[in-house]
Amino acid sequence: MYLLVLLLPFINAFFLGFFGRLVGTTGSGILSTICMGSSTLIALFLAYEVLVNDAVVHIELYKWIESEIFITHIGLLYDTLSVTMLLVISSISTLVHIYSTSYMSEDPHVPRFLCYLSLFTFLMMVLVTSDNYLQLFIGWEGVGICSYLLVAFWTTRIQANKAAIKAIVVNRVGDVGVILGMVLTYQTIGSLDFWTFNGGSFGSGIMDRGYSGEGGPYESPLAPFAIIGILLLIGCIGKSAQLGLHTWLPDAMEGPTPVSALIHAATMVTAGVFLMIRSFPLFERAPLTLLIITIFGALTAFFAATVGLVQNDLKKVIAYSTCSQLGYMVLIIGIEGSHNVGLFHLVNHAFFKALLFLSAGSVIHSLTIDEQDMRKMGGLIHSIPFTYTMMLIGSFSIMGLPYLTGFYSKDLILELTYSGRNAGDPPFRPLGPPQLYIQTDPKDPDLKLLELAGFPSRGSAFAFWLGTVAALLTAFYSIRLVYITFIISPNSPKESLISSHINIVDKRVLTVLSLLCFGAIFVGYLIQDILIGDIEHPIVPPFIKVMPTLMGLFGMGLCLWAQKGTRGGILRIPAPLGSSFLLPIYSFLGGAWQGDHLINKLVAIPLFSFGHWGIYKTLDRGWLELFGPQGISTIATGVSQFISNLQSGVISRYALVLLSFTIIFLALGAGAP
């Protein structure tokens, strides 16, 4: 059973890859539904055994690499983290497969598409069930390759090909960080197996004793763990689209909509967050790294929310919302003792984000021209009311309105961030009513510190306020999406609104959206005790507790006021502000803070220039050829030409050569002892 849950997606991918043409579109859909559905059922049994019964299963399959003291096995680890991820991956992937049989029904290459989806699912399952970093890296690279294949699935679209290349190149930057992190982890701990730092041997062994290398012990035994944490964070920044390496994520919308749903909800972008949660025992030994993680997550949540305000592409608005929600997940990992809440939000996010993307796909397919620009939609509430309902529920859930799935994790993240401490801050007594007290610095007993219990440290305070503002912006762009797409007067051509299938909802689509809608409403409530049962809600001032909800309601009201009476999604701008003030801001946000421009100017173009002139022209075609093949051939040609010139046929020259060599030999012989 533990092997079958992984093998079923692989079997489906293998069969469709080699025999997909034989079974055709219908057969491929049936086979995919059976294999992926069976995998989901098995994942439910595993969830009962591991999550409910609180068990951990470790299966060692066979020895993989044995080189002196380096020994690595192929093994599977089923604990709370891996089984939770497995359940999310299998369930969302099954629904995406079923949805794809309807969405891609007119595409001639459905078997190949479903093959890629199943392979994507299999490799993500390999990633989350691995018991060591090296095996995890196979899945890590595999999902990157599959994302390239799926984003560029429509190979005749130039933008899709460019987006796929951009995604895989940007992710290579993060992959370098993961590779270096693995190398340093092995050098520091002596193993790449997760049990070495999740078990007792890690806490009571190497890390408490410190690390001593060939050059003697480090000045601080925690120094290597800070470097490891930063390197693994770089991997997360690339894979989970955090600020700096986020540019590939919006462009990945060029692929089919089911691909977007799978990448954003259950696979590609969640891999980085999973890696950080799995590696948290390493991070907690590096306080500075945890502070950096908190700041990066907060900045990403705020940045993506601001950019989502002005996007007009339906799928790109949802893509930037993914980037923002990933920022929340990363943010909470940096707060001491709260990394499980990041997993909780990841699970909740999977359901309402899949609902939003698949609802967007339903909207796009409802128009005859497959339009994605929201400004050319409008009035669809009367044509596709079911899709409107699904989109509205998904938007309310991502806003974190009370008693929807997003509410249980998003509000908890902000509460823990407000009251939490970054690892490395001076410890203080359990939270209670805010009050001043005197604390002794453990590093300097003579130094007395005034601490205010119940109030956040500097890092968590910064993250809390950015996260709160991001919650307001999330509500604004979520309601803007629904309002412009469904409620305002139609802006699309009449022909696009009289499609023969605009009022028809396929039964497969209806079933998938209904199940995701159930998840977007109830999953947060149902699983909170399983995933975060040991985390108590912090005691915070009442105003702070309700602030995220108030911000969401305020953002929703502000959006409705700004959009009222407008056409085409143009915001109402008060006269005192004027276009001279808001237009530069709109342009700045519309250009995603000029991220692509800055990366091109500061990184891409200099590196390409250095690669061409510095490496290719100067080194490869210059020094290496001069002292390598070209130099050797030139010297050999010159020597051979000199020797051949000696064969001139002139007797006097021959006599001169013989006399010269005779004198040389006599001189050498006379100088010998």
Side-chain angles (χ1 to χ4, degrees):
M1 184 171 67
Y2 291 95
L3 292 176
L4 197 59
V5 68
L6 273 73
L7 290 178
L8 283 172
F10 176 77
I11 292 171
N12 186 54
F14 179 85
F15 189 85
L16 294 183
F18 287 96
F19 309 106
R21 289 190 176 184
L22 299 179
V23 297
T25 299
T26 303
S28 299
I30 294 173
L31 179 64
S32 297
T33 302
I34 293 173
C35 288
M36 299 308 303
S38 301
S39 181
T40 303
L41 291 176
I42 296 174
L44 287 171
F45 283 111
L46 298 182
Y48 173 77
E49 184 167 343
V50 175
L51 299 181
V52 178
N53 296 326
D54 197 21
V56 176
V57 179
H58 181 221
I59 303 174
E60 192 173 286
L61 298 176
Y62 59 88
K63 188 176 294 184
W64 182 18
I65 299 174
E66 184 175 4
S67 176
E68 296 184 354
I69 63 172
F70 179 62
I71 300 175
T72 302
H73 294 80
I74 293 292
L76 301 176
L77 177 62
Y78 293 92
D79 58 0
T80 299
L81 175 59
S82 58
V83 170
T84 302
M85 291 294 299
L86 202 63
L87 188 60
V88 171
I89 294 165
S90 59
S91 58
I92 297 297
S93 181
T94 300
L95 296 176
V96 170
H97 275 75
I98 297 172
Y99 181 92
S100 299
T101 59
S102 172
Y103 188 89
M104 304 290 290
S105 59
E106 298 179 3
D107 194 285
H109 305 293
V110 172
R112 178 164 62 90
F113 182 75
L114 295 177
C115 168
Y116 291 164
L117 286 182
S118 297
L119 185 61
F120 202 0
T121 305
F122 165 71
L123 289 168
M124 188 64 191
M125 288 181 172
V126 169
L127 190 154
V128 300
T129 57
S130 300
D131 69 344
N132 61 82
Y133 277 112
L134 204 57
Q135 185 179 335
L136 178 146
F137 193 69
I138 295 175
W140 183 276
E141 288 294 292
V143 294
I145 294 172
C146 289
S147 68
Y148 171 82
L149 296 174
L150 286 167
V151 172
F153 179 76
W154 287 323
T155 55
T156 56
R157 296 180 59 182
I158 295 177
Q159 291 302 321
N161 286 276
K162 291 168 65 177
I165 293 172
K166 184 177 182 180
I168 202 167
V169 169
V170 171
N171 272 274
R172 293 291 76 76
V173 179
D175 295 346
V176 172
V178 176
I179 294 172
L180 296 177
M182 289 193 299
V183 172
L184 188 56
T185 299
Y186 180 75
Q187 181 186 3
T188 305
I189 302 175
S191 175
L192 293 177
D193 296 330
F194 295 140
W195 65 266
T196 58
F197 55 81
N198 281 325
S201 62
F202 189 76
S204 60
I206 295 173
M207 293 188 65
D208 287 343
R209 295 195 304 267
Y211 168 77
S212 178
E214 296 180 357
Y218 286 100
E219 293 183 2
S220 169
L222 305 182
F225 298 105
I227 300 174
I228 291 171
I230 291 174
L231 290 173
L232 295 180
L233 174 62
I234 292 173
C236 174
I237 290 172
K239 193 69 75 176
S240 292
Q242 297 299 287
L243 186 63
L245 297 177
H246 65 279
T247 54
W248 67 271
L249 190 63
D251 293 342
M253 297 302 98
E254 295 294 336
T257 301
V259 175
S260 304
L262 192 59
I263 288 177
H264 288 245
T267 53
M268 181 80 166
V269 298
T270 62
V273 177
F274 170 83
L275 176 66
M276 296 183 68
I277 298 174
R278 175 64 81 192
S279 306
F280 187 77
L282 295 174
F283 288 124
E284 66 181 352
R285 294 286 178 152
L288 177 61
T289 304
L290 285 178
L291 179 61
I292 294 173
I293 290 172
T294 300
I295 293 174
F296 252 102
L299 288 174
T300 303
F302 176 75
F303 152 77
T306 59
V307 177
L309 292 175
V310 297
Q311 297 299 311
N312 295 312
D313 187 298
L314 180 63
K315 290 172 63 177
K316 281 193 175 183
V317 174
I318 307 175
Y320 276 108
S321 75
T322 299
C323 191
S324 182
Q325 298 303 309
L326 288 168
Y328 281 107
M329 300 175 204
V330 173
L331 178 159
I332 196 61
I333 293 174
I335 302 299
E336 190 173 20
S338 303
H339 58 284
N340 283 343
V341 181
L343 175 64
F344 183 40
H345 191 57
L346 187 154
V347 176
N348 294 347
H349 172 264
F351 286 93
F352 58 70
K353 185 49 55 71
L355 177 62
L356 286 171
F357 264 117
L358 297 185
S359 297
S362 179
V363 170
I364 294 169
H365 255 24
S366 295
L367 304 175
T368 55
I369 55 176
D370 283 351
E371 184 61 65
Q372 293 185 199
D373 192 334
M374 297 186 301
R375 296 170 297 182
K376 299 179 181 179
M377 299 180 186
L380 296 179
I381 185 174
H382 304 293
S383 304
I384 43 176
F386 177 79
T387 305
Y388 163 73
T389 305
M390 297 297 101
M391 185 75 80
L392 187 64
I393 292 174
S395 299
F396 283 163
S397 188
I398 198 174
M399 289 164 52
L401 290 188
Y403 308 114
L404 296 179
T405 288
F407 166 77
Y408 294 97
S409 55
K410 192 172 184 178
D411 277 39
L412 181 58
I413 286 174
L414 293 176
E415 290 175 18
L416 288 170
T417 303
Y418 177 84
S419 62
R421 311 288 290 179
N422 294 108
D425 289 333
F428 65 109
R429 64 182 186 177
L431 292 172
Q435 59 182 354
L436 285 170
Y437 71 97
I438 298 177
Q439 176 184 289
T440 301
D441 188 345
K443 297 181 181 178
D444 187 358
D446 296 329
L447 178 63
K448 303 296 184 180
L449 300 176
L450 280 178
E451 288 291 334
L452 192 58
F455 279 82
S457 61
R458 288 183 294 272
S460 58
F462 173 80
F464 169 78
W465 290 110
L466 279 186
T468 302
V469 175
L472 184 152
L473 301 178
T474 300
F476 190 99
Y477 66 67
S478 297
I479 296 302
R480 175 175 177 265
L481 181 150
V482 174
Y483 190 85
I484 296 176
T485 305
F486 294 97
I487 298 177
I488 66 172
S489 301
N491 290 299
S492 54
K494 180 180 179 181
E495 293 78 10
S496 67
L497 296 176
I498 59 174
S499 170
S500 60
H501 61 277
I502 193 169
N503 292 310
I504 301 175
V505 178
D506 189 284
K507 292 182 179 179
R508 290 165 289 182
V509 174
L510 187 148
T511 302
V512 169
L513 295 183
S514 299
L515 291 174
L516 290 173
C517 178
F518 177 86
I521 298 174
F522 298 108
V523 161
Y525 173 76
L526 295 175
I527 68 171
Q528 60 177 336
D529 290 336
I530 297 176
L531 295 185
I532 59 169
D534 57 341
I535 296 180
E536 297 182 0
H537 284 256
I539 300 175
V540 297
F543 176 71
I544 297 297
K545 197 172 187 65
V546 300
M547 181 176 288
T549 301
L550 293 178
M551 284 293 186
L553 294 174
F554 178 72
M556 180 170 60
L558 183 64
C559 176
L560 293 175
W561 172 83
Q563 298 286 352
K564 186 178 180 181
T566 64
R567 290 182 60 87
I570 301 174
L571 298 178
R572 180 197 298 178
I573 301 176
L577 295 178
S579 60
S580 60
F581 175 76
L582 288 182
L583 187 58
I585 298 177
Y586 185 90
S587 300
F588 177 72
L589 297 181
W593 289 21
Q594 306 303 317
D596 283 323
H597 179 75
L598 289 175
I599 291 175
N600 286 337
K601 289 292 185 182
L602 300 179
V603 180
I605 294 177
L607 283 179
F608 276 121
S609 299
F610 175 74
H612 179 72
W613 294 105
I615 302 298
Y616 177 69
K617 288 289 188 180
T618 304
L619 189 62
D620 287 354
R621 298 298 302 274
W623 293 103
L624 290 180
E625 285 202 5
L626 180 62
F627 294 103
Q630 185 178 0
I632 293 173
S633 63
T634 302
I635 293 173
T637 301
V639 171
S640 62
Q641 184 65 42
F642 174 76
I643 295 174
S644 65
N645 290 337
L646 296 177
Q647 302 295 326
S648 62
V650 179
I651 296 177
S652 59
R653 289 188 180 180
Y654 293 162
L656 178 61
V657 171
L658 290 174
L659 181 61
S660 300
F661 276 98
T662 301
I663 294 173
I664 292 173
F665 286 133
L666 289 175
L668 292 175

